[in-house]
Amino acid sequence: MIDKVAWVLVRDGRVLGARSRGKDTAYLPGGKREPGETDVDTLVREIAEELTVTIDPATAHHVGTFEAQAHGRAEGVLVRMACYTADHTGEIAPASEIDEVVWLTYADRDRLSPVAQLLFDHLHTTGLLP
């Protein structure tokens, strides 16, 4: 099981996504937990590394946790992604292994990893993503 924490930023009916260097699939910004980190610790660290912004931990709100087949991994390898909204300061810019920042609509669902597709379905069903 791959344990991941992701940032969900919805703006003007679009969700912030990222494409890593050498990948063709969009992901939600975030990453794997390091030993001893909470979800919010992971979120703050990963987003600072990937997008050069600072997450305000006091505003983090759990949207949901989703599980699916890990994209690009052997059959049966699952990813569990805890998803959070949170306010931030700074200008979003790709850094570290991120090649591109993308803004995705529900129509872009097929461009996403399987676990991110589940999140998009949830956001769409709850009306957060038209």
Side-chain angles (χ1 to χ4, degrees):
M1 176 72 66
I2 299 168
D3 181 26
K4 183 176 176 183
V5 177
W7 186 32
V8 180
L9 179 61
V10 181
R11 187 179 287 163
D12 300 324
R14 300 178 301 159
V15 177
L16 177 67
R19 190 181 53 75
S20 297
R21 204 163 281 120
K23 304 282 183 174
D24 61 352
T25 302
Y27 295 86
L28 292 179
K32 296 175 189 166
R33 180 189 327 273
E34 291 184 356
E37 281 186 329
T38 66
D39 283 1
V40 175
D41 293 339
T42 303
L43 186 70
V44 169
R45 178 183 52 77
E46 285 285 346
I47 299 309
E49 290 172 5
E50 293 183 354
L51 299 175
T52 70
V53 297
T54 302
I55 294 292
D56 178 355
T59 65
H61 173 74
H62 185 247
V63 175
T65 299
F66 305 89
E67 269 184 37
Q69 170 66 38
H71 180 260
R73 298 290 183 101
E75 186 65 32
V77 176
L78 300 177
V79 62
R80 176 182 297 130
M81 187 169 71
C83 300
Y84 289 82
T85 59
D87 294 339
H88 72 283
T89 55
E91 287 293 316
I92 295 170
S96 188
E97 76 272 9
I98 304 302
D99 254 0
E100 178 184 28
V101 171
V102 292
W103 289 95
L104 305 160
T105 67
Y106 189 69
D108 296 311
R109 183 185 178 279
D110 291 342
R111 295 177 49 198
L112 298 163
S113 66
V115 72
Q117 289 180 6
L118 294 177
L119 168 69
F120 266 50
D121 290 344
H122 172 76
L123 294 174
H124 185 69
T125 300
T126 58
L128 295 174
L129 182 62

